[in-house]
Amino acid sequence: MSLLDLAARIARAARLTVLTGAGVSAASGVPTFRGAEGLWRRFRPEDLATPGAFVRDPRLVWEWYASRRAVVAGCHPNPAHEVLARWSHERGCRVVTQNVDDLHLRAGTRDVIRLHGSLWDLRCTGAAVPAPGTPVRGRATRCVHAWRDEHEPLPLPPTCPRCGALARPAIVWFGESLDEADVVAARNAAACDLFIAIGTSAIVYPAAGLLDDARRAGAVTAAINPEATPASSRVDVTVQGRAEEILPRLDLLLAS
Ligand code: OAD
């Protein structure tokens, strides 16, 4: 299928959903995970992105996230983010992302579903401290305080402003489950007419499985990526190219 055909599909789709991965932010200067310069080529995820790593060395984990936050804070949305933001308003396009940067948000995208969390969200790991005057009954629960930190440099490791316990990044680590509400929202979004996976290696589940959910729901499926991925053979349409070039071209075709 040509780019023109894909543009025609987008124009006709009453329900359009895209799944984005690290490749969409690559042109903004945010490193991907598995490419030649990918983060997982230089760092071991088991040392930095698992609950066990955090228990062993919270400072090391936080230093890594602080350095990623510093990189992303200096990046800006690229034309791929900008086109998707416009489609979210003009075409009701649903954007489901695996990216923990905030570039879809900064581009103005509506109702982004952030499957893997956010570099700017933190949550407490401590035991609950009852509010003054609250009787403690039964087993102590955990402090569930969660908060957003807007690009401020953090004291490392940061602590919960409510109970003083260690804070962790509100990011889904290896071996952890995704937030159930996000999974439900993403599966609902996958029930669409046209589902496009953009800039993802499509090997991390459950995100990669959304493609199959979409297909089962009767959607036409497409992938935009400069390289072949496990998704390439499962989709109806593959477009070989960079998100920041292909999306503006599609957008131009839609306007003509
Ligand atoms: P990966 O790093 O696994 O894959 C990035 C994909 O983007 C590759 O297939 C590249 O070919 C493609 N790519 C590179 N430059 C591109 C460009 N300019 N335009 C379009 N595509 C481009 O990243 P993800 O698939 O997002 O998990 O990885 C999934 C998850 O694995 C991440 O969310 C992360 C990681 O562990 C968490 O942080 C929880």
Side-chain angles (χ1 to χ4, degrees):
M1 196 187 282
S2 69
L3 217 52
L4 196 59
D5 293 327
L6 182 56
R9 293 268 186 186
I10 293 170
R12 280 204 305 274
R15 295 169 306 165
L16 167 65
T17 296
V18 305
L19 168 69
T20 65
V24 164
S25 296
S28 297
V30 183
T32 63
F33 293 93
R34 297 177 179 80
E37 302 289 313
L39 292 173
W40 297 151
R41 293 285 177 107
R42 290 186 286 140
F43 302 101
R44 283 158 34 100
E46 53 273 40
D47 292 340
L48 299 166
T50 65
F54 190 66
V55 169
R56 275 194 306 278
D57 197 341
R59 172 176 278 274
L60 176 75
V61 170
W62 263 117
E63 281 169 358
W64 191 64
Y65 279 98
S67 72
R68 288 180 61 197
R69 284 160 56 105
V71 168
V72 170
C75 294
H76 301 284
N78 68 56
H81 298 108
E82 282 156 14
V83 167
L84 292 176
R86 207 164 42 252
W87 288 0
S88 76
H89 291 279
E90 294 172 2
R91 304 186 171 275
C93 173
R94 305 300 319 275
V95 177
V96 182
T97 191
Q98 299 166 88
N99 297 345
V100 296
D101 63 46
D102 54 356
L103 296 180
H104 282 307
L105 254 67
R106 280 198 258 157
T109 311
R110 201 162 143 185
D111 298 335
V112 186
I113 300 168
R114 307 176 81 180
L115 284 179
H116 292 167
S118 161
L119 281 173
W120 313 109
D121 289 347
L122 287 79
R123 74 183 149 82
C124 181
T125 61
V129 177
T134 315
V136 181
R137 290 197 194 86
R139 206 158 51 86
T141 50
R142 301 193 69 78
C143 176
V144 290
H145 189 55
W147 68 102
R148 177 154 295 175
D149 163 88
E150 291 297 341
H151 299 200
E152 294 298 321
L154 287 169
L156 297 184
T159 50
C160 174
R162 190 165 293 173
C163 75
L166 200 58
R168 60 162 280 177
I171 283 182
V172 181
W173 282 331
F174 286 93
E176 293 186 318
S177 300
L178 271 55
D179 183 285
E180 190 52 33
D182 290 336
V183 174
V184 169
R187 293 215 167 110
N188 285 339
C192 60
D193 306 312
L194 177 59
F195 183 94
I196 315 177
I198 310 173
T200 176
S201 57
I203 57 174
V204 173
Y205 283 76
L210 292 172
L211 202 55
D212 306 298
D213 294 338
R215 177 186 285 283
R216 276 193 293 274
V220 171
T221 55
I224 300 174
N225 199 308
E227 290 173 20
T229 72
S232 313
S233 57
R234 304 199 331 260
V235 294
D236 301 302
V237 186
T238 55
V239 177
Q240 192 183 2
R242 296 175 183 282
E244 68 277 13
E245 291 163 8
I246 300 296
L247 286 169
R249 280 171 63 193
L250 284 168
D251 197 44
L252 259 183
L253 289 169
L254 286 167
S256 60

